Amino acid sequence: MLAKRIIPCLDVRDGRVVKGINFVNIRDAGDPVENAVFYDEQGADELTYLDITASHEKRKIMLDVVEKTATDVFIPLTVGGGIGSLDDIRDLLNAGCDKVSINTTAVNNPEFIAQASARFGSQCIVVAIDAKRSTGEPGDTPPWLKGSESLSYLDITSHLDTAWEVYTHGGRRAKGIDAVRWARYMEEIGAGEILLTSMDRDGTKIGYDIELTRAVSEAVNIPVIASGGAGELGHLYDALAGGKADAVLAASIFHFRQHTIREAKEFLHAKGVTMRL
């Protein structure tokens, strides 16, 4: 059995690590490179940088931070936010990251995921899905999807038959797309991994959305990383066991030293979860 992974998430804005609740109410959590080195030393399996305002502000991602991190950190690094072209991916990989996380561009142009996977390999293409329980109102449907018969199973009136809707631009725009079906489609066209964030649970510390995580995990055959809501070590176990996730992404419980990576791994190992100790 493959070992489960613990991945600290470093949300970065204006060169600083930040943490919010439901994608708002942001507070500072330190320097990104210093945080990355700390988690590497603690035994994190991977790290994820998310430039949380890059897409919304329509700017390039933080290559300088990635380069500095790659110099001092020796575990896999995933970087996301503001990736809009194959050149962006190339630049990030050349700067030292191992995988890229793509959300907004994937929704606006799914063919981009197929192109990226073909050029760089699916192993480094992570599709991030920010999902929120449906309000029942139509979302801002992408132009490519309107009237599409070939993708008809991505029912644009997702509120008719789904509990979760895809959002983009750092959780600012509802897209009227079924999150579970979207994950399955992304796998079909080349995604190597799914980074699944529950917007409803983000920063709340009440636990991951287990129902959402399990639904996506059961729908795809590629690894699923659960994100959004970790507040105690038991929540990590719930996502891996009940949610069937392959990895857990967490921020607050590690950034503010509520728990260490070592404590988390020992807790999960004692519960029978296969971990790299």
Side-chain angles (χ1 to χ4, degrees):
M1 179 180 293
L2 293 176
K4 302 293 187 178
R5 291 168 287 151
I6 294 180
I7 307 174
C9 179
L10 305 175
D11 290 339
V12 180
R13 186 177 72 172
D14 299 327
R16 299 288 293 176
V17 177
V18 297
K19 189 62 194 129
I21 299 175
N22 303 129
F23 284 40
V24 295
N25 300 323
I26 304 296
R27 60 173 170 157
D28 187 90
D31 177 78
V33 179
E34 290 177 0
N35 270 278
V37 171
F38 174 76
Y39 289 129
D40 186 13
E41 293 173 346
Q42 279 213 337
D45 296 296
E46 297 182 16
L47 286 169
T48 294
Y49 274 152
L50 297 180
D51 191 336
I52 62 174
T53 58
S55 291
H56 177 62
E57 296 172 358
K58 298 180 180 178
R59 59 174 170 77
K60 296 294 185 180
I61 202 165
M62 44 187 192
L63 286 177
D64 58 332
V65 174
V66 175
E67 290 173 345
K68 291 176 183 176
T69 302
T71 300
D72 298 321
V73 172
F74 305 99
I75 55 178
L77 173 65
T78 299
V79 181
I83 297 172
S85 70
L86 296 179
D87 286 344
D88 290 339
I89 298 176
R90 181 204 61 206
D91 291 344
L92 282 166
L93 294 175
N94 287 340
C97 82
D98 301 274
K99 294 183 278 188
V100 294
S101 175
I102 305 166
N103 180 359
T104 298
T105 300
V107 173
N108 290 339
N109 177 22
E111 183 61 23
F112 180 71
I113 298 301
Q115 295 169 351
S117 178
R119 176 172 295 190
F120 302 106
S122 62
Q123 78 285 345
C124 69
I125 305 302
V126 179
V127 170
I129 300 177
D130 293 339
K132 189 174 184 179
R133 288 193 175 267
S134 177
T135 62
E137 298 295 328
D140 176 25
T141 307
W144 63 267
L145 186 53
K146 295 177 181 177
S148 172
E149 294 182 1
S150 62
L151 300 174
S152 60
Y153 61 87
L154 286 173
D155 184 2
I156 64 174
T157 55
S158 62
H159 61 284
L160 294 179
D161 65 353
T162 187
W164 303 280
E165 184 176 4
V166 172
Y167 279 66
T168 62
H169 293 81
R172 293 172 177 83
R173 300 183 187 179
K175 307 307 290 188
I177 296 175
D178 177 287
V180 178
R181 292 177 178 181
W182 181 245
R184 187 183 300 122
Y185 179 52
M186 288 294 96
E187 176 186 18
E188 289 177 3
I189 65 172
E193 199 162 34
I194 299 293
L195 171 53
L196 178 66
T197 299
S198 166
M199 291 178 57
D200 299 298
R201 300 298 184 93
D202 177 69
T204 63
K205 298 186 179 182
I206 62 174
Y208 299 91
D209 187 330
I210 302 303
E211 187 181 359
L212 167 63
T213 304
R214 183 171 56 247
V216 172
S217 296
E218 291 179 343
V220 301
N221 296 305
I222 55 177
V224 173
I225 304 168
S227 172
E232 58 186 59
L233 298 183
H235 294 157
L236 307 182
Y237 176 77
D238 293 341
L240 296 171
K244 300 184 178 181
D246 299 273
V248 284
L249 197 81
S252 297
I253 63 171
F254 297 136
H255 294 345
F256 303 114
R257 309 299 186 254
Q258 179 180 343
H259 293 288
T260 66
I261 300 294
R262 182 71 184 185
E263 288 173 348
K265 287 194 169 189
E266 290 178 347
F267 173 84
L268 292 169
H269 178 70
K271 299 276 281 185
V273 178
T274 302
M275 303 295 302
R276 295 188 185 91
L277 295 174

